[in-house]
Amino acid sequence: MPAGRRDVLLLHAWVNDMVARLKKTQAGKQQAAAYGAGSAGPGFGGTGGGMGSLGGGIGGVGGVCGVPMMDEEEMLHDAQLLFSVAFHEIIRQVSVHCLERGYLMGKIWWSEMELFQRLLQLQRQSRAALELERRQRARERDELHGRIDDLEREIALLRRSSISGGSSSAR
């Protein structure tokens, strides 16, 4: 069945609807997390609308008071799935008119997805390294606090012995 303008308009409406649902899910999860953390309410941004705004405002790493808007990987997975389905439909529509162009679009899309997966992997590795460093710094901080406590006790002991030693030598 040849692809026409109607197919493009239907796909456009479907993508907009799915992006709005994804944003709504994100906002609901963020609101629940923010209220649970004692925040005044959601800080969700992005208004959405046309095709130009599909990528903006779908997800975020930040949040209110450090609470993530939505599990980042879950949000990325959902958005990736949404855009993959939409892009495959566009490839199908283009392939009806020009098989070679559709094939090339598919090849470019899969290459982009491989890059995206690699970036996610690098992000996970970086996050794990940062967490390890954070734990190490916390352990070092605790050790230093312990050492400070020991030194303060030693100073107090020395002061007491100095006072008692000074009063006995004055006799």
Side-chain angles (χ1 to χ4, degrees), residues 26-38:
Q26 175 195 20
K29 287 184 178 186
Q30 180 208 5
Q31 185 175 14
Y35 285 141

Side-chain angles (χ1 to χ4, degrees), residues 117-134:
Q117 291 301 319
R118 179 66 181 135
L119 285 172
L120 283 177
Q121 181 182 17
L122 289 172
Q123 181 187 30
R124 283 185 208 112
Q125 290 171 349
S126 177
R127 189 178 290 160
L130 285 172
E131 180 61 23
L132 181 64
E133 185 177 342
R134 185 192 66 76

Side-chain angles (χ1 to χ4, degrees), residues 3-14:
R5 179 170 173 77
R6 183 174 183 276
D7 290 335
V8 173
L9 294 175
L10 287 172
L11 179 60
H12 184 223
W14 178 81

